[in-house]
Amino acid sequence: AVLALLLPNVATSAHATEAAWARLAEGGYTILLGHARSSGTGEPRRLDIGDCDKRKALSDRGIQEARRISMRFAARAVTLNAVLSGEYCRALQTATEGFGEDKVETKSWLNPPAAGADPEAIPPELIEAVDNFYGYGNQLMVTHPALIEAVTGTKPREGEAIIVEPGLNPGDKPRVVNRLLLD
C-alpha cells in the first residue's frame, strides 16, 4: 500500500525533470542553483568573503555533487552561455568545481541577503540579468537557497535547480517555469 502511494510522486517527479531538460534544450532560460553540500555549521563572526580557508566550504560530498551536476548538463548537451556565482565560498566552489574556474564570473548581487535585510528583497541586478538574457543557450546562477527562495517564493530542495524566465513586464520578479532535480 505504501509503494502504491509513492509511485505517482516518483512518476510525476521524473516527468517534471524530463520536461525541464526539454525546456533547457530550447535555450533562453536562467537556472538558479543552490550551492552543494557544505561542512560545518554557520559562518564565522567576522566575514571575509574571499578567505575560503576560514569560511564554510563544501564538504567532500559537496564537491562530488557539484561535479555530478555539471556532468548532467553535459550529458544532456545543455548549453550554458554563462555561469555566474555569488562570492561566498560555498556558491563559488560549487560553480568552479562543477564548471571550471575559467568559466565562472562572480557577482556580488548573487550573495545571500545580509543579516537584518529583507529576506524577500531581490537584487535589481539579478532581475535585470534575467530580463536581459537572450541566447541560444542558458545562464546558470549559483547562489544560496535563501536568495532563490526570495526570487521564486519557494526554497529549492537539495540538489534541485529552479528554471526561470523574465517576468511579464520589465523589472518584474522572474517567473518560475520548471524545477529540475539534479542529484
Side-chain angles (χ1 to χ4, degrees):
V2 173
L3 184 58
L5 291 173
L6 293 176
L7 284 177
N9 290 335
V10 171
T12 302
S13 294
H15 178 69
T17 296
E18 286 306 315
W21 284 120
R23 223 181 245 280
L24 292 177
E26 296 171 10
Y29 294 98
T30 299
I31 306 155
L32 301 174
L33 177 66
H35 62 75
R37 291 175 178 92
S38 56
S39 57
T41 58
E43 292 286 356
R45 286 184 182 261
R46 292 186 180 202
L47 297 179
D48 182 3
I49 292 174
D51 188 357
C52 291
D53 290 335
K54 294 179 183 169
R55 304 278 316 200
K56 191 172 177 183
L58 296 185
S59 64
D60 290 340
R61 186 174 174 188
I63 291 169
Q64 294 305 314
E65 179 185 347
R67 292 175 182 164
R68 277 193 314 274
I69 287 169
S70 69
M71 287 189 283
R72 285 190 172 75
F73 280 98
R76 295 291 186 137
V78 169
T79 302
L80 296 175
N81 295 20
V83 178
L84 309 175
S85 171
E87 299 169 308
Y88 280 64
C89 296
R90 290 171 281 176
L92 185 55
Q93 194 176 9
T94 298
T96 57
E97 286 289 340
F99 299 94
E101 193 171 333
D102 59 323
K103 294 182 180 156
V104 177
E105 186 178 347
T106 58
K107 300 290 182 186
S108 62
W109 44 264
L110 284 173
N111 292 341
D118 179 0
E120 294 185 19
I122 303 169
E125 298 91 344
L126 189 152
I127 294 171
E128 185 178 325
V130 173
D131 283 351
N132 294 329
F133 178 72
Y134 300 99
Y136 62 89
N138 303 282
Q139 67 179 344
L140 175 69
M141 295 182 180
V142 183
T143 185
H144 285 64
L147 184 57
I148 296 172
E149 185 173 8
V151 172
T152 66
T154 183
K155 191 171 186 174
R157 292 176 278 180
E158 206 165 273
E160 179 182 48
I162 309 291
I163 302 168
V164 299
E165 65 183 6
L168 296 175
N169 299 303
D172 281 357
K173 187 175 182 177
R175 293 179 338 120
V176 174
V177 296
N178 221 318
R179 299 168 79 106
L180 179 64
L181 293 173
L182 293 165
D183 196 38

